[in-house]
Amino acid sequence: MKLDRRVSAFLPFWLLFLQPAVVLGQSYLYDNRYAGDKVIRVVPENDQEAQTLKILSQQLKVDLWQPGSISYISKGAVTDVRVSRNTSQILLHYLQQANIQYIVLISDLQKAVEEQSGLTSSRNRRSLPEYSYEIYHSLEEIQSWMHHLNKTHSDLVHMLSVGKSYEGRPLLVLKLGKRSRAYKKAVWIDCGIHAREWIGPAFCQWFVKEDRFWRKTRSRNSRFRCHGVDANRNWKVKWCDEGASIHPCDDTYCGPFPESEPEVKAVAHFLRKHRKQIKAYLSFHAYAQMLLYPYSYKYATIPNFSCVESAAFNAVNALQSVYGIRYRYGPASSTLYVSSGSSMDWAYKNGIPYAFAFELRDTGHFGFLLPETLIKPTCTETMLAVKNITMHLLKKCH
Ligand SMILES: *[C@@H]1O[C@H](CO)[C@@H](O)[C@H](O)[C@H]1NC(C)=O
Ligand SMILES: *[C@@H]1O[C@H](CO)[C@@H](O)[C@H](O)[C@H]1NC(C)=O
Ligand SMILES: *[C@@H]1O[C@H](CO)[C@@H](O)[C@H](O)[C@H]1NC(C)=O
Ligand SMILES: *[C@@H]1O[C@H](CO)[C@@H](O)[C@H](O)[C@H]1NC(C)=O
Ligand SMILES: [Zn+2]
């Protein structure tokens, strides 16, 4: 890529809960833990249906895949829940009684994932002669890979630690780019701010493989449910306003104060320090197939909207040109939902003109359990979108 000489990038990894996906010697993926699980989709047609669905979700303690939190369940909002076989019987019974329409997206999650994966993952990963970019890796594996790159590609890769996670692990950032005296524009990329979105970190690694220039990475640590904070609601921008929760047990808990999380604080500090240089902030999430830009916290368009909008339009078209996968794009608030304290809004408000959040594949068929066979196509098309955005930002836009 031509821009390599001008742009370097920072790819941080925020990995929560990432665990080896496979127990060696066992033939089931993920320890067979999804056997019989179903994923059910409901789109409430009115407020009453939404209310019923909220109560059911709460009482049955479903694993909510979409939207981000129970409080977002509303009329017209696509709601995907994962439930065990037993719970699904109860849920479906109540839905039928209340005459609420539903679709069973996946009738046996374990089967679905294994069919798609062809059990590729049950090999002994550590004996692979080369690091595979088409499987999901554990945090441990990713970190040793990072250390390895830092050692073997010291001309292009510089690894630094920007702080410590809550559990005391180093927050590693890979900086990609040739050493030079000249001022360089940079792009910050983070993947996996939300741990269950595994395709995010897979993309960050793909990105490094494809373009040995940019990268910066960093990790983050696991928390127990009800002890954690949503790291994408903890930033000092309209903190804990609409679309964030003050309740520690909610998935969108904003934390006791802005930047209360050491991970958020460390990255915010780093970004503030380098904000003159960083021209774009890209954050990778899943799943929804969307390309989002500010604002998240309010329904309003940003100044110079058309510039960012056309960057998004082009990126989405570039992405679609590969496999025909369609992405929606627009301000996060109106395209996804309103959320305050997000990293993207924060980056934008702190002077990084191009701030985007990708919601990668798919639209709910596999959801968070996107099979490893889809890592390659997903990353290939996403690379094109990312390159398109970075080309755009090198042009004079205003
Ligand atoms: C599910 O229901 C079956 C019987 O219908 C019961 O044997 C089993 O223990 C239940 N599983 C759970 C996890 O509750
Ligand atoms: C990366 O490698 C350099 C030596 O090339 C070393 O000084 C540095 O400490 C390494 N970074 C980390 C975070 O280990
Ligand atoms: C970006 O995408 C647009 C629209 O598909 C295309 O016209 C343009 O050539 C792409 N630019 C790059 C650098 O890929
Ligand atoms: C918007 O464009 C103007 C020039 O047209 C520029 O001075 C300003 O910095 C831009 N604002 C943002 C937020 O990019
Ligand atoms: Zn996310």
Side-chain angles (χ1 to χ4, degrees):
M1 280 171 67
K2 269 194 248 94
L3 72 151
D4 287 340
R5 292 219 307 276
R6 294 174 61 195
V7 180
S8 64
F10 311 93
L11 295 199
F13 290 152
W14 308 57
L15 300 174
L16 298 120
F17 301 129
L18 203 73
Q19 284 167 0
V22 151
V23 179
L24 296 181
Q26 223 150 13
S27 59
Y28 288 118
L29 272 180
Y30 310 122
D31 225 0
N32 206 24
R33 80 178 70 143
Y34 302 111
D37 281 14
K38 293 185 193 307
V39 178
I40 293 161
R41 170 168 294 181
V42 179
V43 184
E45 284 175 10
N46 52 48
D47 294 339
Q48 199 196 338
E49 288 193 6
Q51 193 54 27
T52 305
L53 188 58
K54 269 188 190 180
I55 292 167
L56 282 172
S57 301
Q58 223 140 26
Q59 298 203 334
L60 296 174
K61 294 192 169 43
V62 303
D63 176 18
L64 192 62
W65 280 18
Q66 276 204 129
S69 123
I70 287 178
S71 61
Y72 292 139
I73 295 176
S74 58
K75 183 180 143 190
V78 173
T79 305
D80 295 345
V81 300
R82 175 176 70 88
V83 282
S84 69
R85 190 201 308 267
N86 290 7
T87 306
S88 73
Q89 286 171 0
I90 304 168
L91 177 65
L92 294 184
H93 172 77
Y94 279 111
L95 290 176
Q96 282 156 9
Q97 272 206 334
N99 203 18
I100 297 176
Q101 301 292 313
Y102 62 86
I103 310 168
V104 178
L105 288 179
I106 305 176
S107 59
D108 186 332
L109 188 55
Q110 184 69 33
K111 271 207 193 114
V113 170
E114 288 189 355
E115 273 164 21
Q116 274 293 317
S117 298
L119 287 181
T120 49
S121 303
S122 58
R123 319 181 284 250
N124 181 344
R125 296 156 173 258
R126 279 168 193 84
S127 72
L128 288 176
E130 280 185 17
Y131 195 80
S132 169
Y133 293 89
E134 296 182 38
I135 59 177
Y136 296 118
H137 289 281
S138 67
L139 176 59
E140 193 187 32
E141 288 166 349
I142 295 171
Q143 287 196 333
S144 17
W145 168 79
M146 290 168 70
H147 279 285
H148 180 74
L149 281 181
N150 187 46
K151 245 189 228 148
T152 56
H153 293 80
S154 57
D155 50 333
L156 291 176
V157 175
H158 305 276
M159 184 163 74
L160 49 139
S161 172
V162 297
K164 285 250 160 76
S165 74
Y166 178 79
E167 292 190 340
R169 297 186 214 199
L171 299 173
L172 298 176
V173 171
L174 282 191
K175 185 177 174 189
L176 304 189
K178 287 207 166 119
R179 236 185 253 273
S180 76
R181 281 155 287 117
Y183 166 93
K184 274 188 185 173
K185 290 179 178 180
V187 176
W188 170 278
I189 298 183
D190 60 54
C191 303
I193 219 172
H194 290 142
R196 64 181 173 179
E197 302 162 9
W198 288 6
I199 186 65
F203 174 71
C204 267
Q205 291 165 86
W206 191 276
F207 183 88
V208 174
K209 166 179 84 78
E210 289 289 299
D211 182 337
R212 285 271 152 77
F213 273 95
W214 347 19
R215 140 158 249 190
K216 210 159 204 199
T217 219
R218 94 193 258 260
S219 60
R220 132 159 206 161
N221 266 273
S222 57
R223 304 273 180 91
F224 289 102
R225 255 224 289 223
C226 288
H227 294 196
V229 166
D230 184 341
N232 205 24
R233 298 290 185 281
N234 190 234
W235 297 70
K236 203 170 182 172
V237 51
K238 282 284 152 167
W239 175 78
C240 218
D241 203 327
E242 201 178 336
S245 168
I246 55 167
H247 301 296
C249 279
D250 285 352
D251 274 349
T252 53
Y253 176 46
C254 58
F257 52 88
E259 296 182 18
S260 63
E261 301 308 284
E263 299 87 353
V264 171
K265 191 183 166 127
V267 175
H269 177 75
F270 185 88
L271 292 176
R272 265 194 293 263
K273 210 165 110 187
H274 299 281
R275 71 176 146 199
K276 290 237 165 64
Q277 214 180 335
I278 297 174
K279 298 300 171 200
Y281 171 88
L282 308 178
S283 194
F284 287 85
H285 292 257
Y287 57 94
Q289 292 179 197
M290 289 178 186
L291 178 51
L292 307 168
Y293 45 83
Y295 297 103
S296 293
Y297 75 84
K298 64 175 175 187
Y299 295 109
T301 51
I302 50 177
N304 300 347
F305 168 78
S306 58
C307 213
V308 170
E309 206 245 2
S310 73
F313 171 80
N314 283 335
V316 160
N317 276 316
L319 188 148
Q320 194 183 337
S321 71
V322 192
Y323 300 105
I325 296 293
R326 287 170 184 276
Y327 268 51
R328 290 168 60 200
Y329 67 95
S333 52
S334 52
T335 310
L336 187 59
Y337 41 63
V338 172
S339 67
S340 54
S342 74
S343 62
M344 179 183 73
D345 277 359
W346 183 91
Y348 181 76
K349 287 264 178 181
N350 279 271
I352 299 176
Y354 289 92
F356 291 99
F358 279 80
E359 291 281 349
L360 299 179
R361 290 200 201 185
D362 54 13
T363 54
H365 186 67
F366 293 107
F368 297 124
L369 287 167
L370 193 72
E372 291 180 325
T373 48
L374 296 181
I375 292 177
K376 185 177 178 180
T378 304
C379 291
T380 304
E381 69 194 8
T382 307
M383 276 304 293
L384 232 64
V386 170
K387 282 181 187 174
N388 201 294
I389 285 180
T390 53
M391 291 293 182
H392 195 100
L393 67 93
L394 290 175
K395 286 190 290 210
K396 288 256 176 298
C397 191
H398 14 262

